[in-house]
Each structure stands twice: as C-alpha cells, then as structure tokens.
Amino acid sequence: MSRGTRLVAWTSTAEYVAVGELLYSESPQDRHRGVLAVKAWRARARVPAAVDATATLVELQLSDSTQPVSQQRLTLSMALIRFVNSILDLEQRTTVAQSMAVLARRIGMPAWFVELRHACTHEQVPSLRVLRAAHAHALVWLDEHYWRRQTRALPEDTRDRVRAAVAEYVRARDTVKAAATKRNASEFDAAKAALVALTGVLHSDAVGAHVVRVLLEPGVLVPTDKRMRAKFPECTMPSQLARQSTSLLRLLADVWGESVLFDELLSAICSALVPQSSEGGFEPATLGPSHAATLVAWVRWILDKHYQPAGSDTPSNVSVDDLLETCLRNPGYYSRAVLKAVSDADSALGRDLRPFVDYMGKALAALAAADARPVRSTVDAEEMRKEEELMQTRLDLMRGSAGSMDVDMDANESVEADEPETLQPDSRWAYDVRSGSPCPIGTLADGCVPDLELPLWIDDIPLFVAPA
C-alpha cells in the first residue's frame, strides 16, 4: 500500500535518475540518448506527464532548424500547448473544472505560460523567438519543479525533522486555543509556515515514507490521552479529535493535494493494522486496542469525507481497492473492522463484502472459544502404549529384513497377526466430513484467500533446453 504496487516503465530508480541526467546534459549525444530512453518507456507503459513533456521539448531542441520558420513555430506552439495542458490537467480534482490560471498558481507555474498557451490556441501564433524562449523556460521549470524533487536524496533524519515540525505545530495550535494572545498567534503562524516549508520540498514518496507515519504516532492523529480515543466495536470518531486534527490535515492537503495525502494515509493505516501486509507497519506489540480503534475511526472519517462509491456523479479522491485486497488476504479482528467501515461507506460494495465479514466474525469467535477451553489430549495412556508396542514390532521386522534377505515373511505375518485389531486403520486419523464448516467461495477451508501468483524466478526457466 505506499498506494499499492504501481507499474512503471523504468527497471530501477537508478535508471530513472540516469535518464533525467541525460535529458539535461550539455552533450547533444547524451540528450539524444535520454530522448530514446523515454521513447522506449512509452512503449512499455504510461510515463508521467512531466517526463513526457521534458522528452518532447528536448527532442525539439535537438531537431534540425533548417525547416521553414512557419513550420517551426507551429511545432513549438503545439509542444508548449501539450506541456501546459498535460501538467495542469493533473490538478483538476473537483466536479466543476477550474481555470488554467488557478491551477497554474497552485503548482507554481508562471502565469505567462497559460497566456502563451491561450495565444497559441486561439490567437495568432507568437514569433519564433518568443516560442524558443518559452521552450527554454519550460525545460528549466520542469527541472526545478519535477526532476530535482524526484532525484533528490532524502536526508537520514527526514522523519525526525518532520516529527519535530509536526510536534511544534501541535504545541502551538494547542497553546493558541488555550490563550489566543498575539504572541501565541504569531508562534502558531511561524510553526505553520515551517511545516509547510518542510513538507513542500519533499517529493511525493516522502509522504508515505515519513509524513503519514508521523501523523499516526501517538500525539498527533492518535491522542496520548486514551480517554480521547475511539473504542471497539463501534470505532466512532471522537468529535473533539476530529475538530483539532482537521486543520492539520487541511494544511497538508493544500501542499500535496487531497488525493495523494489521504490515499497514503489509508495505506499507512492499513499497514499499521495488518503488519504482515507491509514491512513498513507498526510492531504488533506497540499497537494497543485503543490505538487500533482510533485508526479504524480515521478510516471511517476519510471514507466519509473523501470517498465516493462507483457510479457516483462526484469523483472519489481515494481508492479502496488496495485496502480491500490487503484486508481480505490477511483476515483478523482489525482487518474485519476496516472491511465493516468500507461496507458502511459503500452499501453496494457492502453487500458483496458481507459474507466475508460474517465469516471472519464466526471464525474469530470460534478461535476465541477454542482458546478459552482447556486443552485435553485425545489419546489416553493405554492407546499410547499399544501404539508404541506396534511401532517397536515393525521396527524389529525392518531391522531383520535389512540383515538378511531370506527373512521368513510368513513369520512376519504371524507376528502381526497377534494384534490384528491394532493394525486396522485408526479412525482417529480419518477425516470426518461432518466436521466441515461453510466458507466463502474463493477461500480455503481456514478462510484465507489463496495467493495464486507464481514467483518471478519461474520466468527465467527455459521451456526447451537445446541438446548438447
């Protein structure tokens, strides 16, 4: 869950960084190699809009300038139109489409890019000199706002810095609520600005790796006072907790966007509640019942505020696909609570999940009852003695057969004939079909969803081996 596994066109982070360096190299040959690499990526999978725009602009920069001026103007204007449209379309997340100028201001794109795009589309095409200058500025903007953020290595103390900034924000927020003085208000504004400045320079991978992990620690979204936490089985969000945390979440959503922040938050909550599903989860011993109940309450809150069922007129800001897969593959008390939260948020999906939720409840109740009963041995001392004598007799026969090839097999039969009833198939080891219990279609007898994916190393085994 970072938001699940994503298909990318590059084979490793090193290849991705290397291609970015080639695209901005001073050598035309290196830039040409970078363009060819992006073309190969396009054939494999969909590439990010910023990568596609960079490769297109660099390719035009390397193209032959002996073409007619009118053709060059049309080519550059089309590239700039696609650059602006592809970058700004990613920010359209509301039902009513926002203007290009508003979207550009949100991501820090110069307003004259939007004006130039409008001129190229609806008015007279600008001169070749203006288009080439805009072309160069577009490459610089992409380098500063995309490539440098993506390739920058995070310091080892990034999470500590985020934790300190969030803690200072929470302290200043509580202080200004207790006493709304001018000094406290200025301290709160300074803490807010510091948090925005820190999170604003982190690339998107840091949201799931550091920011949301800090938010889920006790003291932020999970209060240190257990009386303010949610409780099982309702997992209802305490109103006071929702009020005091909404401002922090809104602040971070303005930096990253609601879709990125809340998708990553759902993924982190899922890995915390189901530790075996992700290597980035909390340790089970550190996640108490009240902590887990509060996390489930946040799942309910996020789904209530930012999730829309399939077929709704309003687009959903978050997806529950990875959340459902993780919980269904790892049944348990906490994962069942998450499935119930999803069922309550989406009635149509809840009807499909109901058999799984009910079965998990019955299985958990049966396990609890089994743990409460005293464990008794089903084999008494007399049966154990007979079993040992039989095994010893068979062992002696095997030793005799190994020592001499002409062992009298009839003697063996006579030895075994002394206890004919003991050698009959033991009913204790037979499977009683009446002991089975119903389970959902597609699961194993213990309720687990089977994993039918084959390991990747099988792909390397040749189907046909050439004769030597």
Side-chain angles (χ1 to χ4, degrees):
M1 251 191 108
S2 170
R3 287 170 293 170
T5 304
R6 292 182 299 174
L7 178 65
V8 295
W10 45 90
T11 57
S12 63
T13 304
E15 178 187 347
Y16 172 81
V17 173
V19 171
E21 294 176 349
L22 289 174
L23 290 173
Y24 284 92
S25 173
E26 295 182 358
S27 170
Q29 291 78 11
D30 288 344
R31 280 182 287 168
H32 180 65
R33 289 172 53 201
V35 171
L36 293 179
V38 175
K39 287 184 177 180
W41 287 356
R42 291 169 181 160
R44 298 175 188 169
R46 184 177 179 180
V47 298
V51 175
D52 185 72
T54 304
T56 301
L57 294 175
V58 171
E59 185 176 12
L60 291 178
Q61 198 176 50
L62 297 173
S63 62
D64 188 7
S65 60
T66 58
Q67 299 175 348
V69 174
S70 59
Q71 186 173 349
Q72 294 184 46
R73 291 168 61 194
L74 291 174
T75 304
L76 288 175
S77 62
M78 179 58 68
L80 290 172
I81 291 173
R82 287 184 54 83
F83 157 66
V84 175
N85 288 349
S86 61
I87 298 298
L88 296 185
D89 281 348
L90 299 176
E91 299 298 316
Q92 290 283 13
R93 302 192 184 98
T94 58
T95 306
V96 180
Q98 296 177 300
S99 66
M100 290 281 189
V102 173
L103 299 177
R105 184 166 57 251
R106 180 189 301 169
I107 65 174
M109 177 182 287
W112 63 267
F113 272 133
V114 178
E115 297 173 359
L116 185 64
R117 174 251 178 208
H118 182 83
C120 293
T121 306
H122 305 288
E123 300 174 3
Q124 185 178 1
V125 178
S127 65
L128 183 60
R129 180 178 179 181
V130 171
L131 291 173
R132 284 178 175 174
H135 175 278
H137 279 86
L139 285 174
V140 172
W141 187 89
L142 286 169
D143 184 34
E144 293 178 350
H145 289 78
Y146 180 78
W147 289 102
R148 292 186 184 180
R149 291 190 179 188
Q150 296 292 324
T151 58
R152 180 176 56 250
L154 292 175
E156 295 182 358
D157 62 341
T158 297
R159 185 174 298 188
D160 294 335
R161 294 168 58 196
V162 172
R163 184 181 292 111
V166 171
E168 178 61 22
Y169 174 88
V170 172
R171 185 201 64 78
R173 179 198 63 193
D174 296 340
T175 302
V176 78
K177 285 184 177 181
T181 63
K182 186 175 181 180
R183 177 180 179 182
N184 292 340
S186 62
E187 290 181 355
F188 178 62
D189 292 339
K192 183 192 300 185
L195 180 59
V196 171
L198 175 60
T199 56
V201 298
L202 300 177
H203 56 69
S204 57
D205 291 342
V207 180
H210 301 292
V211 177
V212 298
R213 301 292 175 179
V214 173
L215 296 180
L216 299 183
E217 294 176 354
V220 189
L221 297 184
V222 180
T224 53
D225 186 358
K226 294 185 178 182
R227 294 174 297 179
M228 294 180 58
R229 296 181 180 180
K231 296 179 176 60
F232 283 114
E234 294 83 6
C235 298
T236 304
M237 171 65 70
S239 57
Q240 183 179 356
L241 175 60
R243 285 195 304 270
Q244 73 178 17
S245 302
T246 302
S247 60
L248 175 59
L249 293 177
R250 187 184 302 113
L251 177 69
L252 296 176
D254 290 340
V255 176
W256 295 105
E258 293 180 349
S259 179
V260 173
L261 176 65
F262 292 112
D263 260 339
E264 292 290 353
L265 195 55
L266 281 179
S267 177
I269 291 175
C270 187
S271 64
L273 294 173
V274 191
Q276 61 267 35
S277 67
S278 172
E279 33 181 62
F282 292 76
E283 292 296 329
T286 65
L287 194 65
S290 63
H291 193 152
T294 307
L295 295 183
V296 176
W298 276 113
V299 172
R300 289 182 172 275
W301 185 89
I302 293 172
L303 295 179
D304 179 61
K305 302 294 183 181
H306 302 281
Y307 173 73
Q308 295 294 333
S312 177
D313 296 335
T314 305
S316 179
N317 287 327
V318 295
S319 172
V320 296
D321 294 344
D322 294 334
L323 192 71
L324 293 177
E325 181 180 359
T326 302
C327 292
L328 290 174
R329 286 183 177 274
N330 301 275
Y333 190 77
Y334 296 159
S335 56
R336 180 175 181 267
V338 174
L339 291 178
K340 289 184 64 177
V342 177
S343 300
D344 294 341
D346 190 338
S347 58
L349 189 57
R351 288 192 293 269
D352 297 334
L353 292 176
R354 183 174 180 179
F356 294 93
V357 175
D358 293 344
Y359 178 77
M360 284 186 187
K362 294 178 181 179
L364 292 171
L367 288 175
D371 292 340
R373 291 196 301 266
V375 180
R376 296 184 302 172
S377 176
T378 59
V379 182
D380 56 21
E382 182 63 22
E383 291 180 346
M384 182 62 71
R385 185 188 63 78
K386 291 182 180 181
E387 190 78 18
E388 291 177 353
E389 291 178 355
L390 176 61
M391 296 301 297
Q392 184 62 44
T393 301
R394 290 178 175 175
L395 183 60
D396 293 341
L397 291 175
M398 292 175 61
R399 289 174 177 173
S401 299
S404 175
M405 296 300 296
D406 55 349
V407 177
D408 186 2
M409 298 304 295
D410 295 334
N412 294 343
E413 295 178 359
S414 63
V415 173
E416 294 183 355
D418 292 339
E419 298 180 359
E421 67 283 358
T422 310
L423 298 180
Q424 296 298 323
D426 197 333
S427 60
R428 291 182 292 110
W429 310 113
Y431 177 73
D432 186 4
V433 295
R434 294 172 298 177
S435 64
S437 59
C439 61
I441 297 176
T443 66
L444 301 178
D446 57 356
C448 296
V449 179
D451 185 1
L452 303 181
E453 296 181 0
L454 298 177
L456 296 178
W457 57 264
I458 292 182
D459 296 339
D460 299 330
I461 300 178
L463 296 178
F464 302 98
V465 180

